[in-house]
Amino acid sequence: MRKDFALPALALVGGAAGFAVRLWQRSSALDPATNLFIHGAPATWALLALTAAVAVLALVLCPGGRTFSEGEADKAFQCPSSGYMTLMVIAAMGFLASAVAGVPQLMEDLRAWQADPSRHLLPAALALSILGCVAGSIGSLVLGKSNYRAVSGEQVRLAATLPAYAALPWLIRLYQVYSSDPVLLNSFVPLLAAVFLLLALHGQAAFFYRRPRCRSFTVFAVMGVYFGLTALADRLSLFDSLLAISFVVCTFGALTALSARRFSPTPLGPRMPQEDVDDGII
């Protein structure tokens, strides 16, 4: 089996199926009058079964393939494919679009907090998430270019951490949004999406600090893409929807790059001239 294709396909197909099943669950099992899910609804069981199946398949498919020593860990995501670079550019543009979409929401939340601080939280997590969007955009572009051109070294480390830093305030923001909702079935998909995407991006950054964890990254990335696509059925705000898509695309790009490096039968080499890390001369 070509795992370099199977793992990204599992994430995408599983996410598309999760999106469809989540829509089915919200349309057939959610009582609009009480905002509660009907106990034992078939759609709920189908979503749980699909989630378990994706997780098991990710665990089964992730072993094997090439391993990376600490000395070559920062080269694990190098990918000469133009498709990979396209994904990273799309992720970067998505982060910028998310920042733009978040500003009006920030102003609205800030006015609500100023009008009644006792009933509304200071939108600090939203403000940090918007700033994180800018950082995530820069990190995606720099990291994508570096991996595309096979550039490694300490100069790539900071860029590798920026998407992970951007995911942290978004997780905090989603927790604040859903913290007052006692219905776990309402909140578990978006929260797990943020958790797994954060873990995946943190795992990617760890490679550039000589901490390669191929299996854990692969599982976190597959589940992050799966839950991220599934969460789009939850009618999130425009800001959260765009940000979820951006994190999903960024994580999917990393998953495809690492899967190709680990499992591709043909070696991958730099597509463009490699930069000299010491003096920056091409």
Side-chain angles (χ1 to χ4, degrees):
M1 178 184 294
R2 292 289 301 274
K3 292 185 180 181
D4 51 327
F5 294 134
L7 283 165
L10 172 64
L12 275 186
V13 174
F19 176 82
V21 175
R22 182 68 167 172
L23 279 179
W24 175 34
Q25 182 192 33
R26 294 187 66 86
S27 63
S28 65
L30 182 62
D31 185 352
T34 62
N35 201 33
L36 296 175
F37 286 89
I38 300 172
H39 178 70
T44 301
W45 287 111
L47 181 61
L48 296 176
L50 176 63
T51 302
V54 172
V56 169
L57 287 174
L59 289 170
V60 170
L61 291 175
C62 70
R66 180 185 177 190
T67 59
F68 301 93
S69 64
E70 292 184 359
E72 61 180 0
D74 59 349
K75 301 179 179 63
F77 294 93
Q78 292 180 357
C79 183
S81 169
S82 58
Y84 166 76
M85 190 65 220
T86 301
L87 287 173
M88 300 306 287
V89 171
I90 292 174
M93 297 301 102
F95 282 125
L96 290 180
S98 302
V100 173
V103 172
Q105 186 172 345
L106 175 62
M107 296 297 101
E108 181 181 347
D109 290 354
L110 191 58
R111 285 193 295 267
W113 173 76
Q114 290 174 336
D116 191 356
S118 62
R119 299 188 60 182
H120 299 276
L121 291 173
L122 177 68
L126 176 57
L128 290 175
S129 296
I130 293 173
L131 292 176
C133 290
V134 179
S137 177
I138 296 172
S140 297
L141 278 177
V142 175
L143 187 60
K145 174 187 173 184
S146 299
N147 287 329
Y148 182 65
R149 302 188 64 168
V151 176
S152 59
E154 293 188 3
Q155 65 187 43
V156 189
R157 284 186 174 183
L158 178 59
T161 62
L162 292 179
Y165 282 135
L168 181 57
W170 185 54
L171 172 58
I172 297 172
R173 167 184 154 66
L174 287 179
Y175 176 78
Q176 289 181 345
V177 170
Y178 289 102
S179 60
S180 60
D181 190 346
V183 183
L184 184 60
L185 286 177
N186 270 331
S187 60
F188 86 99
V189 171
L191 289 176
L192 285 179
V195 167
F196 278 110
L197 289 169
L198 172 61
L199 289 173
L201 294 171
H202 179 273
Q204 177 185 222
F207 276 78
F208 294 87
Y209 290 85
R210 298 184 178 183
R211 296 291 185 272
R213 300 291 184 271
C214 293
R215 294 186 182 184
S216 61
F217 167 81
T218 300
V219 173
F220 292 151
V222 169
M223 298 307 296
V225 172
Y226 165 74
F227 278 114
L229 293 176
T230 303
L232 296 178
D234 278 38
R235 299 172 185 172
L236 303 174
S237 67
L238 177 61
F239 170 74
D240 291 319
S241 297
L242 289 174
L243 196 50
I245 293 172
S246 303
F247 282 123
V248 165
V249 174
C250 184
T251 303
F252 183 74
L255 175 63
T256 56
L258 184 64
S259 298
R261 292 284 291 178
R262 292 181 64 200
F263 300 112
S264 177
T266 57
L268 300 178
R271 183 182 181 89
M272 297 179 65
Q274 186 172 359
E275 291 183 0
D276 190 329
V277 176
D278 295 329
D279 54 20
I281 299 175
I282 298 179

